Amino acid sequence: MSPYTAVELIRAKRDGKKLDDTAIQWLISAYTHQEIADEQMAAMAMAVFFRGLDDRELATWTQAMIASGSRMDFSSLTRPTVDKHSTGGVGDKITLPLAPLLAACGAAVPQLSGRGLGHTGGTLDKLESIPGWQADVSTAELLAQLDDVGAVICAAGSGLAPADKRLYALRDITGTVESIPLIASSIMSKKIAEGADGLVLDVKVGSGAFMKNLDDARALATRMVALGTAAGVRTVALLTDMSTPLGCTVGNALEVREAIEVLAGGGPRDVVELTVTLANEMASLAGLDVDPAQVLASGQAMDVWRRMIRAQGGDPDAPLPTAQFTEEITAPTSGVVTAMDAMAIGTASWRLGARPSKRHRTSRSRYRIAGSSGRPCRCRDAAASAAHRHARSFRRCPRGSPRCHHHRRAPAHCSSAGTRPYRIERATRLPRIQSLSSSRRYRPRREPPRKLQSRSCQHRRSSSHARH
């Protein structure tokens, strides 16, 4: 019989007490084996949200989540393995062009991605808008594809950190998504169990991110780098701006289309710039002497993209889903767009139907393109629902000009989506804008090994630079 009870541990953390290692290990194991109810784990997650976990508790929590399943082994591959993870943002489709780009540079990229969380979109949700594409691959298929193509974007297998799979879905519906220790343990448990040699973390900061300010983002980056370094994974974190959405589109199919534009040599400038910046970091960790910008311009990454999609059952030439209804939102007055609320845009996209909101949304029956009756399922609706923005920060916006287009599955969704993500102010001339430094790099020091040092990164991103 266990010396612990869930209620006892919930009370202890609620009251600000520290949990010992054996208590944490029991808690994670019991929840994995469904010996603890979702309601109790939700209460624990809320207690952690308010009381936090110290470094020892976080390390033990993360290791317990890793130990809940199996670990992957890429030692049979001839290429160096490197991965990237974003903490989530609005319009964040960077993984789509980045994985094939690194593969074209000579690395193996085992990109184990997730579903949408909170107001943010999920990489798997985006890719499932491609007809035939499958998120689930076996370990043998994953290794074969990495050896042949060089890149895989897929769901984590059921045996990889299963404790996180359950807790991830629970956090999404209990208001505990933004907890720094829960974010850090969720990301790093999967990435450490994945077994890649190097890891680049893209920690988003701003209104459209879970971390709204630099202090919280820096704390999250620091803790994740420490967890990765302690586990023997070469880990780097960059803080990047998410005060406005990345690119010009928010929503599954539209974001896939925009990612393809980047691979074809076009696409919005901010998406291209961040893709190349992260690719440089990943190539450095993998020990590759290559210029990702030149590889992207050569078209090799597009070739890898097509092979990667085809290897997972998708048709890279098939038309992407389109929404049945589209509404143009226009400027009510002339002026200058002074702000774009990424959170509001992400929430509007979610309300338009770009993502299911149920806890068990990972069921395959909810994500097939067509059901057994041949009628479109939710995936078709979610793939097509989106928002395409035209207005950009600090750009003139004449009265009646389009600010954005809402793409939706039904007319009724538009009125509830909200039309206030943009703020327009009257101005006689365009103000001078100074580009904000939107990225910081975090690497482990050599002495002592678990300390962290921040250094500025050359990457700068401003929404005023975004172009088609």
Side-chain angles (χ1 to χ4, degrees):
M1 185 175 178
S2 170
Y4 304 102
T5 67
V7 174
E8 172 190 346
L9 298 184
I10 292 167
R11 286 173 177 162
K13 180 50 65 178
R14 179 199 65 188
D15 296 338
K17 298 179 181 178
K18 308 299 183 185
L19 303 180
D20 61 48
D21 292 347
T22 55
I24 294 173
Q25 291 163 358
W26 174 84
L27 176 73
I28 299 299
S29 176
Y31 184 59
T32 304
H33 295 94
Q34 302 185 35
E35 297 169 9
I36 293 178
D38 284 336
E39 293 82 356
Q40 291 177 310
M41 199 62 182
M44 175 59 77
M46 189 60 73
V48 171
F49 181 90
F50 285 110
R51 294 295 189 175
L53 298 173
D54 65 19
D55 290 343
R56 176 194 58 79
E57 289 177 304
L58 178 59
T60 303
W61 187 290
T62 304
Q63 288 298 325
M65 293 175 72
I66 296 171
S68 71
S70 58
R71 301 184 69 155
M72 302 188 72
D73 181 10
F74 298 127
S75 60
S76 62
L77 298 177
T78 57
R79 301 181 181 210
T81 55
V82 64
D83 194 7
K84 164 261 180 188
H85 187 89
S86 168
T87 56
V90 180
D92 185 3
K93 71 277 295 176
I94 300 297
T95 294
L96 306 185
L98 182 62
L101 174 57
L102 259 293
C105 291
V109 187
Q111 185 71 51
L112 304 185
S113 298
R115 304 283 177 185
L117 189 64
H119 64 282
T120 66
T123 299
L124 301 183
D125 300 328
K126 295 176 175 70
L127 284 170
E128 282 183 336
S129 65
I130 300 174
W133 186 87
Q134 297 293 320
D136 298 322
V137 299
S138 67
T139 301
E141 291 170 334
L142 185 146
L143 290 172
Q145 187 170 329
L146 285 175
D147 189 50
D148 179 36
V149 180
V152 177
I153 303 177
C154 64
S158 59
L160 199 72
D164 176 67
K165 189 172 185 179
R166 297 198 68 207
L167 188 55
Y168 185 95
L170 191 67
R171 287 166 51 216
D172 193 19
I173 60 168
T174 57
T176 55
V177 169
E178 298 87 351
S179 167
I180 288 178
L182 293 181
I183 292 174
S185 60
S186 173
I187 292 172
M188 297 309 295
S189 63
K190 292 193 294 285
K191 295 304 178 182
I192 294 171
E194 176 189 288
D197 300 324
L199 174 63
V200 174
L201 297 165
D202 180 8
V203 181
K204 301 296 186 185
V205 189
S207 65
F210 296 123
M211 302 294 102
K212 307 298 183 185
N213 59 72
L214 278 171
D215 289 340
D216 287 345
R218 188 176 291 112
L220 175 60
T222 301
R223 302 194 83 174
M224 290 195 294
V225 170
L227 289 170
T229 303
V233 180
R234 296 191 297 274
T235 308
V236 174
L238 278 73
L239 306 186
T240 62
D241 181 36
M242 186 41 69
S243 56
T244 59
L246 272 167
C248 298
T249 60
V250 179
N252 298 331
L254 289 181
E255 290 190 47
V256 171
R257 188 174 291 113
E258 196 165 72
I260 294 173
E261 291 175 3
V262 172
L263 290 167
R269 180 175 176 178
D270 59 340
V271 177
V272 175
E273 191 172 322
L274 183 53
T275 299
V276 172
T277 297
L278 293 171
N280 276 312
E281 294 290 339
M282 294 173 72
S284 177
L285 287 181
L288 299 173
D289 185 14
V290 63
D291 183 357
Q294 292 183 359
V295 175
L296 181 62
S298 71
Q300 297 176 60
M302 175 64 88
D303 295 336
V304 175
W305 162 267
R306 294 176 61 83
R307 293 173 60 202
M308 181 182 71
I309 296 301
R310 195 174 286 114
Q312 291 175 239
D315 182 356
D317 298 314
L320 294 170
T322 56
Q324 184 177 359
F325 300 94
T326 302
E327 180 175 3
E328 182 179 83
I329 307 300
T330 60
T333 184
S334 298
V336 172
V337 177
T338 58
M340 280 186 288
D341 188 343
M343 179 73 168
I345 294 173
T347 302
S349 178
W350 170 70
R351 288 177 176 173
L352 287 167
R355 186 173 72 82
S357 58
K358 301 297 184 182
R359 185 170 74 88
H360 298 293
R361 64 185 182 278
T362 54
S363 168
R364 294 302 303 166
S365 63
R366 291 185 182 272
Y367 277 86
R368 287 178 295 177
I369 294 298
S372 58
S373 64
R375 294 178 301 171
C377 286
R378 191 176 183 95
C379 180
R380 174 68 69 177
D381 296 332
S385 300
H388 188 147
R389 67 184 178 94
H390 299 280
R392 298 179 177 87
S393 293
F394 301 105
R395 295 291 180 88
R396 291 193 180 278
C397 190
R399 179 179 181 179
S401 62
R403 289 188 291 168
C404 68
H405 278 88
H406 286 169
H407 302 255
R408 62 194 187 281
R409 62 175 184 254
H413 280 76
C414 186
S415 60
S416 64
T419 59
R420 300 180 181 176
Y422 303 88
R423 184 169 70 246
I424 299 177
E425 296 181 3
R426 294 182 181 276
T428 57
R429 64 176 182 171
L430 202 65
R432 293 179 61 86
I433 306 302
Q434 183 174 359
S435 177
L436 301 179
S437 176
S438 58
S439 179
R440 301 286 192 277
R441 184 188 290 111
Y442 290 81
R443 294 182 185 274
R445 287 178 179 173
R446 295 182 182 276
E447 298 285 341
R450 293 192 183 183
K451 296 290 185 180
L452 297 172
Q453 182 180 24
S454 65
R455 298 191 299 178
S456 62
C457 177
Q458 297 299 318
H459 171 58
R460 298 176 183 271
R461 174 181 170 267
S462 173
S463 58
S464 61
H465 291 163
R467 298 177 182 171
H468 280 289

